Amino acid sequence: MTVAPATRETGALARFGTALRRHKMASLGGGIVVLAALSAIFAPWLSPHDPLEQDVLLRLAGPSADFPLGNDSFGRDILSRILWGGRVSLYVSTASVLIAIVLGGAIGILAGYVGGLFDRIVMAAMDVLLSFPTLVMGLLVVAMLGPTVGNLILAITLTAVAPFARIARAPTLTIKERDFIEAGRALGFSNLRIMIVHILPNVIDEILVMASLWLATAIRTEASLSFIGLGVRPPTATWGGMIREGFENILDQPLLAIFPSIAILVVMFGLNMLGDGLRDTSDPRLRHE
Amino acid sequence: MSGVLLDVQGLSKSFTVRRGFMGGALATVHALNGVSFSIGPGEAFGLVGESGCGKSTAGRAILRLIEADSGTVLFKGESVFAADTGALRRLRRQMQIVFQDPYSSLNPRRTINQTLSEPMRVHGMGSSTEIREAVHAVLGEVGMPSDAAGKYPHEFSGGQRQRIGIARALVLQPELVVADEPVSALDVSIQAQILVLLRNLQQKRNLSFVFISHDLGVVRHFCRSVAVMYLGRIVERGPIPGIFDEPLHPYTRALRNASPVPDPAAKVTMAKLEGEVASALAPPSGCHFHPRCPHATEICRQVYPPWTELSSGRGVACHLYPPEPTGAAPS
Amino acid sequence: MSDASGRELALDVRGLTTEFRINGRWYPAVRDVSFALKRNETLALVGESGCGKSITALSIMGLVPKANGRVAAGQVLLDGRNLLALSEQQMEKIRGGAIAMIFQEPMTSLNPVLPIGFQVAEALRYHTDLSESEAKARALELLQHVKIPSAARRIADYPHQFSGGMRQRVMIAIALACNPRVILADEPTTALDVTIQAQVLALLAELKAETGLAMIFITHNLGVVASIADRVAVMYAGDIVELAEVGELFRRPTHPYTEALLASIPRVDRDAGDLKPIPGQVPPITAMPAGCRYADRCPLREPRCTQESPPLSPLADSAEHFARCWVRAGTGGSAA
C-alpha cells in the first residue's frame, strides 16, 4: 500500500520546526527556552536596575513597585540580578555544550566510521570520562585551575564530550553500512567528505536532542558549583550564587532563595520538555525511511 | 571485438568470522576463490548464483570497495589493485556501481541535485552551470522529470529511486557499471521498466556491465554471456542463451531447472537436488557441489575439478568435462 | 458447504473489503474480494506490492492491525461459520488450528530464543489436548515429515542455527501441526534461494496431496504461480481483476494487466525479445480513480472505463474464467 509522503523538508531544523508545531509540550518547552534566552541576551536593556548597585537601606526588602522581586542582602535588585545571572548560565551552558557537540560529535563519528582498534581505544577513553559525575569534574577542575568562567566551561565540556561521542557513534555504525556511503566511496569521495557531508547530517538529530538535555545539565552544574562557592565569583550575579546568599538569609527573607530557584527550575523544565519533544518527534516516521 | 575492457584474474578474498557468542573460534570464509573472467567494451556480462556464492563480493572487489586478498583486475590494461590514490580516483570515474536496495542507496538528507552534482564537483567536471545542466540531462536520460532535482529521496517510489541511483552512476561518464541485483527489490512491472532503461543506456553510451543477479530470466534477457558461481568459484561460463539451453555443469542445470517460468506446463523440477547450499565456512572437499550432484563420483569428492575451456567461449569446472583435446561433453 | 459444482469448499470469501485510515479518512485496501477455495486446491493470489494480497490474508485471519485498519464488509465462511463475526477468543482457536499461516520471513516469525521443537509442540499443546510428551513426539514426527535432516538431533536447536530454507520448513511443520484445513502462505519462498525454493514448493505440493488441505499461496512471481497453483486470482490496487484455472490463465490472459504483466517478465527458458514494461504506476491508495483502477495504464481504455468500475464477470466462452474489464468481459454477469 503506497501512502503519500507527508512533508517535504528534511533539513534538520525545518523538520524539527514542523515536529514541534505538532507536539505541544515541546512547543511549550521551546517557548520557555526562547524566552529565557532572549531575556538573558537583552538583560542590559530589560533590567530595571544595575545588578551590582547596592542600597543598604533596602536590605532584604520584599517585592515593591520599584523592585518587583525584592532586594537581596546587599539591597541589590533581585529581578535585575536574575536577568543578569541568566547571562552567565546561558553563556556557560551554551559554550560548553557547543564545544562538546563539536568535539564529541567529531570523535564519535570518527570512531564509528574508522572502527577497529581505533574505535575501541577512543571509546575506552570516553568511558573513563563518563565515569566522572559532572559535579565532581567541576570540583576537580575548579580546585586545580581556579574558579573562572573559562574553567567552568572546561569542566562541563569534559563531562559532556563523552555522551556526545556515544550519541554520535551509534547511528554512525548503522549509517556507514548503508549503500549510499559505499556509493560515495565508489565515486571517489574522500573519507573526510563522507563523514562530514554524508554521515554527519544523518546523525545530527540525535545530537540535537541530546544537546537540549545537556544544556539543562550544564545550567544545573554551573548553579551547583556557584552554590558551593566554586563557580563564578561574587559580586557577579549568578543563580547559584544567589541561592547561596538566599540560604544564608533564609529565615529573614525566603524569597531571596526562591526566585533564583524558580528561574533554574523553569529553564530546566523548558529544556527538558524541548528535549523530550525533539526525541519523540525525531523518529523514523518523520524521515520516511 | 576491440579489445578487453575489464580483465579479472584469480580474484580471491577471505573473511575471518568469529563463531559462537563470546570469543568463539575464528573461522575463514572463502568468499572468492580464484575468480577469473574478462569483458569487452559495450558488453553485458552476468554473474549468477545463489546467496553465499560470492557474486556481490566479486563486484565490490573489482571496484576495490573491498580489498581483495589476491588476484589482478586490469581496466583497459591498468591495474586497479596497484593504483595509488590519484590513479584510483581516476579509475573510479570509469567504473561505477548500482545497488540493489533503492531505499538505502540515496542519502535521505540530500536533495537529488546535491546527490547528482556532488560527484561532478568533486572531480572538477565543469562550472556550476555546466554541472547543473549535466544533472538535468542525466535525469532526463533516466526518465525522471527535471523538477526531481530539488526533491528528497523520500518523495519518490522504489523504481524512481533506482533510476536516480542509475543516474548517479552515470554522471562521471563511466565505461563499466557493476550492477548488483539492480532490479531484485522492485516490483515486476517496474523491473521491466528499469531493464529497458539499462538496455537503452547501454546502447547509447556503449556501457559494459557486470550484471549480478540470482534471477536467470533477467540475466538471460540482459546479458550476452554469464558466469555461474558456487561457493566463491566460477563453475561454468558461457554465452547466452547456449549456457541456459544446454548447461554443462550440473549446478547450472539445477539452477535453470529450479527457476520458475510462467508456464504451467513447465513445472519446476528438482532433479534430485536435495540438500542445502553448502556452508561457506566448511565447503565440502573436492568439488564443492558434490554432495548435491546427481553425477558425483569418487574423484569429485577428492579433487577440485580443473577448469576446462571449450570452444565457443564456454568453460566449465567439472570432472564430467576433463580438459582433454577432444573435450567431449556427455549429456 | 459446497460450491455450485458440488465440490466441497474449504473456504468461501464473499465481498471482503478492508479499509485503512490515513489522515483521518478511510480508504479501501481490499475491495469486494470474493473467491471460493475448494478442498485440495491451491489458489494463488498474485499481484505486485500494494495490490492487497497480503491484507486479504490478514483479513481472513483476523489479523488486520486494529489501530487504523478494519474489515468493513464481507464474509469469510469456514464450514458455514463467518470468521469475521467471531470474537478474538474464538479466532484464536481457529488460527493455527483450522487455518494456519506461513509468512515470508521465518526468522521473524520464529521466536529466536526458543528451540524449534518447543515452538512446534507449543502449537500442538494450544490447539489439542496432547500431553507434553505426546506433543513432543508429534513435533518430532512433523519435523521429519517436512524433511529436516537429523530431526531428532536438531529438535532442540534454535532458529538461528538453521538456514533460511530449513526455517521455512519448521514454519510449515508448525502450520501443519494441527491438521489445518486451510493454509495461508504469504510469499513463503520469496526470501529463499531458487534451488531451495524449488524444494519447499515441492514439499508443499506433496503435503497438500497427502492431507487434502487447501492452500492460498500469495506471491508476486508468476513463475511460482505456474508451478504450484491450481487456480489463480490476479489482484491490482485492491481488486481481483482476473480469476481462472492456472492453465487457462496463462493460455488466455484476458485482463490487460495480466497480459501486460506476462509480457514484461524475462524468462530463462526462452528469449523474451523486447520486454514491454507497463507504463505508469499504481495509483496511491489515497487517490484511487473512479472507474477501472487500471484504466490509466491500459492500452484498451475506452471512455466507459474511466466512468464506471467493471464487475468481475465470467468470460463469454468460459464460465470459470473471470475478468474485471469492460472491454474484454463486459457482459455484466455476476462475480464468482
Side-chain angles (χ1 to χ4, degrees), chain B residues 50-51 157 160 187-193 195-196 199 214-218 220-221 240-241 244-245 251 254-256 258-264 266-270 273-277 292, chain C residues 48-49 163 165-166 169 193-199 202 220-224 226-229 246-247 250 261-262 264-281 297:
Chain B
E50 300 178 292
S51 49
S157 68
Q160 290 171 319
D187 272 327
V188 167
S189 56
I190 311 293
Q191 276 193 21
Q193 291 179 8
L195 286 174
V196 167
R199 172 60 61 79
H214 65 274
D215 187 329
L216 297 192
V218 169
R220 176 175 182 139
H221 175 259
I240 285 171
F244 291 143
D245 288 338
Y251 177 61
L255 207 53
R256 186 208 57 185
S259 297
V261 297
D263 180 356
K267 296 261 182 223
V268 159
T269 55
M270 281 262 307
L273 190 69
E274 298 291 340
E276 295 294 303
V277 179
R292 305 169 77 195
Chain C
E48 300 179 283
S49 53
S163 68
M166 285 294 145
R169 291 169 190 262
D193 281 323
V194 144
T195 52
I196 309 299
Q197 170 177 264
Q199 291 176 3
H220 63 271
N221 187 325
L222 282 167
V224 169
S227 258
I228 195 174
V246 66
F250 284 95
L261 215 52
L262 283 168
S264 68
I265 299 177
R267 303 164 59 133
V268 70
D269 61 338
R270 60 178 196 225
D271 288 329
D274 280 329
L275 290 184
K276 293 173 201 47
I278 308 178
Q281 302 183 65
R297 312 167 76 183

Side-chain angles (χ1 to χ4, degrees), chain C residues 9-242:
Chain C
L9 286 184
L11 194 71
D12 194 3
V13 177
R14 298 181 184 176
L16 180 65
T17 301
T18 303
E19 296 175 335
F20 283 90
R21 180 172 51 201
I22 299 167
N23 288 335
R25 291 189 53 191
W26 290 95
Y27 299 92
V30 170
R31 195 170 69 154
D32 197 28
V33 158
S34 305
F35 56 83
L37 183 68
K38 306 188 186 77
R39 272 201 80 224
N40 206 15
E41 174 182 56
T42 300
L43 172 73
L45 270 187
V46 62
E48 300 179 283
S49 53
C51 70
K53 52 195 195 297
S54 286
I55 307 285
T56 303
L58 291 177
S59 305
I60 292 172
M61 295 289 275
L63 292 174
V64 175
K66 292 197 175 30
N68 52 1
R70 68 178 181 202
V71 177
Q75 298 178 306
V76 174
L77 299 172
L78 179 75
D79 283 340
R81 287 166 86 193
N82 181 7
L83 298 182
L84 299 177
L86 295 182
S87 71
E88 178 63 18
Q89 255 188 337
Q90 290 168 309
M91 268 313 284
E92 276 177 11
K93 293 254 170 289
I94 305 241
R95 285 185 213 122
I99 305 188
M101 197 156 171
I102 304 172
F103 298 92
Q104 175 176 346
E105 283 291 344
M107 201 56 202
T108 48
S109 323
L110 291 172
N111 188 331
V113 301
L114 293 174
I116 55 144
F118 181 94
Q119 299 189 50
V120 177
E122 185 180 29
L124 284 165
R125 282 199 307 275
Y126 183 74
H127 289 283
T128 65
D129 44 20
L130 291 176
S131 73
E132 196 175 316
S133 52
E134 284 171 340
K136 197 162 169 212
R138 176 91 183 108
L140 179 58
E141 265 177 44
L142 285 162
L143 289 173
Q144 286 164 335
H145 204 135
V146 297
K147 302 205 178 68
I148 304 255
S150 317
R153 192 169 47 85
R154 305 209 68 186
I155 195 171
D157 281 347
Y158 292 84
H160 70 267
Q161 293 171 282
F162 291 86
S163 68
M166 285 294 145
R167 287 198 288 257
Q168 206 57 303
R169 291 169 190 262
V170 172
M171 283 301 303
I172 294 173
I174 295 176
L176 288 176
C178 305
N179 298 317
R181 284 208 289 295
V182 177
I183 287 197
L184 293 178
D186 190 352
E187 309 249 24
T189 58
T190 303
L192 303 176
D193 281 323
V194 144
T195 52
I196 309 299
Q197 170 177 264
Q199 291 176 3
V200 172
L201 290 177
L203 175 67
L204 284 173
E206 254 179 65
L207 295 170
K208 195 194 93 179
E210 275 174 29
T211 61
L213 59 77
M215 184 158 60
I216 296 179
F217 195 102
I218 296 170
T219 179
H220 63 271
N221 187 325
L222 282 167
V224 169
V225 169
S227 258
I228 195 174
D230 298 316
R231 263 198 321 147
V232 184
V234 179
M235 289 189 73
Y236 182 82
D239 292 329
I240 291 186
V241 296
E242 189 158 0

Side-chain angles (χ1 to χ4, degrees), chain B residues 102-163:
Chain B
Y103 294 93
S104 167
S105 57
L106 299 175
N107 187 338
R109 300 276 178 272
R110 308 271 282 166
T111 62
I112 306 306
N113 184 50
Q114 287 171 316
T115 297
L116 293 179
S117 58
E118 187 179 10
M120 292 190 270
R121 277 185 284 115
V122 166
H123 288 266
M125 286 170 66
S127 67
S128 296
T129 325
E130 287 166 348
I131 290 180
R132 205 174 333 123
E133 283 167 18
V135 167
H136 282 242
V138 77
L139 280 174
E141 247 188 292
V142 300
M144 294 290 292
S146 293
D147 66 1
K151 297 188 179 167
Y152 287 90
H154 72 258
E155 301 180 66
F156 296 102
S157 68
Q160 290 171 319
R161 291 191 208 204
Q162 200 64 324
R163 289 174 190 265

Side-chain angles (χ1 to χ4, degrees), chain B:
Chain B
M1 180 67 156
S2 44
V4 167
L5 185 74
L6 181 77
D7 187 37
V8 178
Q9 295 294 335
L11 198 58
S12 299
K13 173 71 183 173
S14 303
F15 296 101
T16 43
V17 290
R18 194 171 287 279
R19 306 211 65 190
F21 178 47
M22 301 245 291
L26 287 176
T28 313
V29 174
H30 295 283
L32 287 178
N33 200 338
V35 167
S36 310
F37 58 88
S38 60
I39 308 178
E43 181 187 337
F45 181 80
L47 267 186
V48 299
E50 300 178 292
S51 49
C53 71
K55 54 193 192 298
S56 284
T57 311
R60 280 166 174 72
I62 291 170
L63 296 179
R64 247 179 108 177
L65 291 174
I66 298 178
E67 292 288 341
D69 293 337
S70 60
T72 57
V73 172
L74 296 178
F75 184 81
K76 298 210 286 200
E78 194 181 339
S79 167
V80 175
F81 291 173
D84 61 25
T85 324
L88 185 60
R89 251 177 125 224
R90 265 186 300 106
L91 278 170
R92 285 250 157 93
R93 279 186 57 172
Q94 305 174 70
M95 312 160 67
Q96 278 304 311
I97 183 165
V98 173
F99 297 95
Q100 174 178 1
D101 183 0
Y103 294 93
S104 167
S105 57
L106 299 175
N107 187 338
R109 300 276 178 272
R110 308 271 282 166
T111 62
I112 306 306
N113 184 50
Q114 287 171 316
T115 297
L116 293 179
S117 58
E118 187 179 10
M120 292 190 270
R121 277 185 284 115
V122 166
H123 288 266
M125 286 170 66
S127 67
S128 296
T129 325
E130 287 166 348
I131 290 180
R132 205 174 333 123
E133 283 167 18
V135 167
H136 282 242
V138 77
L139 280 174
E141 247 188 292
V142 300
M144 294 290 292
S146 293
D147 66 1
K151 297 188 179 167
Y152 287 90
H154 72 258
E155 301 180 66
F156 296 102
S157 68
Q160 290 171 319
R161 291 191 208 204
Q162 200 64 324
R163 289 174 190 265
I164 295 168
I166 293 171
R168 177 181 54 197
L170 294 176
V171 292
L172 295 182
Q173 313 288 344
E175 292 177 56
L176 174 75
V177 174
V178 172
D180 190 356
E181 309 259 18
V183 296
S184 304
L186 305 174
D187 272 327
V188 167
S189 56
I190 311 293
Q191 276 193 21
Q193 291 179 8
I194 301 298
L195 286 174
V196 167
L197 171 66
L198 288 173
R199 172 60 61 79
N200 290 342
L201 290 169
Q202 181 193 20
Q203 283 166 349
K204 210 180 102 171
R205 291 172 169 240
N206 201 36
L207 285 173
S208 294
F209 280 87
V210 175
F211 195 98
I212 299 169
S213 179
H214 65 274
D215 187 329
L216 297 192
V218 169
V219 169
R220 176 175 182 139
H221 175 259
F222 194 81
C223 301
R224 190 195 302 171
S225 57
V226 65
V228 179
M229 291 186 68
Y230 190 77
L231 282 187
R233 301 193 203 232
I234 294 182
V235 296
E236 185 170 359
R237 187 197 0 98
I240 285 171
I243 191 174
F244 291 143
D245 288 338
E246 278 156 23
L248 298 177
H249 196 285
Y251 177 61
T252 312
R253 184 171 309 125
L255 207 53
R256 186 208 57 185
N257 290 348
S259 297
V261 297
D263 180 356
K267 296 261 182 223
V268 159
T269 55
M270 281 262 307
K272 288 180 263 178
L273 190 69
E274 298 291 340
E276 295 294 303
V277 179
S279 160
L281 279 167
S285 58
C287 172
H288 297 329
F289 188 62
H290 83 253
R292 305 169 77 195
C293 183
H295 305 286
T297 57
E298 193 51 39
I299 189 175
C300 302
R301 287 182 254 279
Q302 314 254 356
V303 178
Y304 193 84
W307 183 261
T308 308
E309 281 286 344
L310 303 167
S311 60
S312 68
R314 299 192 64 165
V316 65
C318 178
H319 288 299
L320 290 171
Y321 311 94
E324 281 169 343
T326 50
S331 58

